[in-house]
Amino acid sequence: MKPSVAVVVLAAGASTRMKSALPKVLHPLAGWPMLRHVLESVMRLKPARIVGVIAEDAKEVAAAFAPHVTVVQHQPLGTGDAAKAALGSLKGHDGPVLVVYGDTPLITAATLRKLVEACHRDKAAVGVLGFKARDPSPYGRLVVRNGVLEKIVESKDADASEKKVDFCNSGVMCLQGTLAASLLGAIGNGNAKGEFYLTDTVAISRAAGHRAIAVEGDEAEFLGVNSRAELAIAERALQRRLRAAAMTAGVTMIDPETVWLSADTRLSADVTIEPNVRFGLSVTIESNAEIKAFCDIAGVRIGRGARVGPFARIRPGSDVAENVHIGNFVELKATKMRRGAKANHLAYLGDSDIGAASNIGAGTIAVNYDGYGKHRTVIGEEAFIGSNSSLVAPVRVGKGANVAAGSVITEDVPPNALALGRAKQVTKKGRAEPLRAKLKARAAEAKRTRK
Ligand code: UD1
Ligand code: MG
């Protein structure tokens, strides 16, 4: 049986290039903190334990690692020093130790597994994920001779021939657990940067007669995020991946490049997404639902056959049931639209529960906020809310009730009642012509006195 892996996630390095009060690994990508993407990939290996290495006073980062343990690297003395800081938390573990970076969010579980399995198969003391870099200059180079990984040379320490090598170190390494303490303990800092390099474990293990191997992966997975520009590049790459997965699962996207997903967006087969739609966190869309162009949708389940948009905004805490229609310029916030209910144009429905098959007219507002507290609007089944009505919450409109257009409803409306909450119309016969004459004369007089 293959021994289970322990994972060390390095997240203690300086991140000044982000120019941010937020620690680098907590910057969001597809709605999740960068670190969470790394942890999700790592978790798929079902590791025996995960140890986060964080900087001093990085409480938010420690919280993002929870329930996994974190250890503090007191000074950023290099990747080797950071990995060594985790040793105390690896006591009793003799399976492989996988070291990954917290700022390399595109790494997949499949690639990590490939490395761990190759190390197991080849009985390697050290394994490295390498890649052919378009621009090798920022990376450590993998020096392979006669098919054997001999050492890793950092750019700053490389000689002219080593600089020509384009097979680069991704940073992901796998150490044999029983050797981890001795390999890490033997790292020195006599190099161009005066740092303890994790990469030195390759030459150290070779000198001790052990085997070191390199496994090739795809450069796209090893993108490290050090700046806002790199964050945007990672976001774009992740979006491509999420869209491709959705389409493979049967989702139609008319212009995929304009659809922005969250890492947890769940779209069923035969959902159609029109151009320019953004999904925030916690969205589930069931089959045959259609999201028309220019919608912003978060925190909602949208049921089978529902139609949303164009230009709709759905905010968290909402539930849109089967065959509901939400039309243009309709905003929902923490609102339940039950089966077949419709709000086709220009409405704000906040903290509301809209009964099945009810019709919400254009311009309806659920007046849910009095400046201090939020209040609920509850509408029964098959109710009809006439256009341009304000429903001043807390308020209830019963099943089958009809609210006349232009009403301001401040009292509950019982089932099947007709409620009119507006001034009574006054009609004065033949009065339009004298009014026109009066207004015309007034305008002429104003023009004369201006001259
Ligand atoms: C490292 C590798 C290099 C590789 C490159 C891939 C070494 C010596 N070099 O270089 O071969 O090609 O990554 O991107 O390992 N960290 C700590 N504590 C420290 C230093 C770093 O936690 O004291 C963490 C950082 O937060 C980061 C990671 O380790 O997540 C890598 O550190 P970084 O300084 O970016 O290493 P590079 O010089 O890029
Ligand atoms: Mg780096």
Side-chain angles (χ1 to χ4, degrees):
M1 205 189 81
K2 266 180 277 177
S4 63
V5 63
V7 182
V8 176
V9 183
L10 304 189
S15 62
T16 49
R17 277 167 64 203
M18 294 299 278
K19 306 242 167 32
S20 178
L22 187 68
K24 176 167 75 175
V25 295
L26 301 186
H27 278 259
L29 278 176
W32 282 353
M34 201 189 297
L35 180 63
R36 172 139 183 220
H37 292 276
V38 176
L39 292 175
E40 294 277 336
S41 289
V42 156
M43 292 289 274
R44 293 196 179 193
L45 305 188
K46 300 197 168 44
R49 59 187 101 174
I50 294 176
V51 183
V53 180
I54 62 172
E56 203 117 44
D57 296 326
K59 285 194 190 66
E60 294 162 275
V61 182
F65 268 108
H68 311 294
V69 296
T70 48
V71 295
V72 174
Q73 183 194 20
H74 296 284
Q75 281 180 302
L77 300 178
T79 50
D81 181 70
K84 208 157 58 181
L87 279 175
S89 300
L90 294 173
K91 286 220 170 74
H93 174 82
D94 54 11
V97 176
L98 188 63
V99 182
V100 301
Y101 296 168
D103 62 0
T104 306
L106 302 180
I107 187 84
T108 64
T111 301
L112 294 175
R113 202 174 283 128
K114 201 165 93 175
L115 175 67
V116 174
E117 280 170 4
C119 287
H120 180 72
R121 192 182 53 231
D122 295 353
K123 299 192 171 50
V126 183
V128 187
L129 278 176
F131 64 99
K132 293 274 162 53
R134 264 168 302 173
D135 171 18
S137 59
Y139 300 109
R141 314 303 158 77
L142 302 186
V143 180
V144 180
R145 277 197 194 103
N146 306 322
V148 176
L149 176 64
E150 293 206 328
K151 58 176 176 173
I152 303 178
V153 185
E154 290 304 295
S155 234
K156 280 197 170 170
D157 302 292
D159 63 27
S161 75
E162 289 163 346
K163 279 203 168 81
K164 290 201 190 104
V165 174
D166 69 347
F167 193 28
C168 294
N169 174 25
S170 68
V172 180
M173 291 189 111
C174 182
L175 307 177
Q176 196 174 300
T178 48
L179 298 172
S182 68
L183 293 176
L184 295 173
I187 298 173
N189 65 348
N191 50 51
K193 281 186 165 174
E195 282 185 2
F196 295 87
Y197 290 165
L198 177 61
T199 47
D200 284 354
T201 51
V202 171
I204 291 167
S205 68
R206 295 264 307 136
H210 302 296
R211 190 197 297 259
I213 61 168
V215 172
E216 190 172 342
D218 179 357
E219 176 163 19
E221 287 193 25
F222 304 127
L223 176 75
V225 175
N226 299 296
S227 63
R228 307 275 182 158
E230 286 170 350
L231 185 68
I233 293 168
E235 178 76 50
R236 187 168 286 267
L238 196 53
Q239 288 296 335
R240 289 225 169 94
R241 206 188 264 179
L242 294 169
R243 292 171 193 134
M247 289 187 283
T248 302
V251 173
T252 293
M253 290 187 186
I254 292 163
D255 186 5
E257 292 282 304
T258 68
V259 175
W260 290 78
L261 299 157
S262 283
D264 66 348
T265 305
R266 298 222 303 259
L267 306 174
S268 300
D270 291 322
V271 162
T272 298
I273 316 283
E274 288 193 353
N276 296 298
V277 173
R278 190 194 80 95
F279 295 101
L281 289 169
S282 305
V283 174
T284 299
I285 305 191
E286 294 170 1
S287 60
N288 295 303
E290 198 178 338
I291 311 298
K292 294 176 167 292
F294 295 99
C295 289
D296 189 291
I297 296 174
V300 62
R301 180 220 39 149
I302 295 178
R304 284 167 168 270
R307 224 164 62 199
V308 174
F311 298 99
R313 180 171 185 210
I314 301 183
R315 292 163 56 197
S318 296
D319 188 82
V320 171
E322 294 69 30
N323 301 319
V324 162
H325 290 182
I326 309 278
N328 41 276
F329 308 108
V330 172
E331 175 180 349
L332 302 188
K333 193 272 292 184
T335 284
K336 188 173 220 146
M337 296 280 290
R338 294 177 190 258
R339 193 181 296 255
K342 293 190 178 109
N344 274 324
H345 340 259
L346 300 163
Y348 171 65
L349 300 171
D351 304 305
S352 305
D353 185 332
I354 313 294
S358 284
N359 188 83
I360 306 297
T364 298
I365 306 287
V367 183
N368 63 329
Y369 185 51
D370 56 18
Y372 295 93
K374 303 283 172 64
H375 307 283
R376 293 189 59 74
T377 297
V378 179
I379 298 176
E381 287 169 32
E382 291 170 29
F384 184 91
I385 309 298
S387 293
N388 201 31
S389 295
S390 298
L391 306 167
V392 182
V395 71
R396 305 177 79 90
V397 175
K399 176 175 176 182
N402 188 316
V403 168
S407 291
V408 176
I409 299 297
T410 54
E411 289 165 15
D412 288 356
V413 179
N416 294 313
L418 168 65
L420 296 104
R422 65 192 186 204
K424 196 163 168 51
Q425 182 171 327
V426 178
T427 307
K428 298 179 178 176
K429 280 194 179 146
R431 284 282 295 277
E433 182 49 35
L435 177 65
R436 267 196 294 276
K438 186 169 131 191
L439 294 174
K440 200 170 159 189
R442 190 186 288 168
E445 175 64 11
K447 200 170 173 190
R448 198 179 56 77
T449 54
R450 244 186 279 131
K451 276 188 184 151

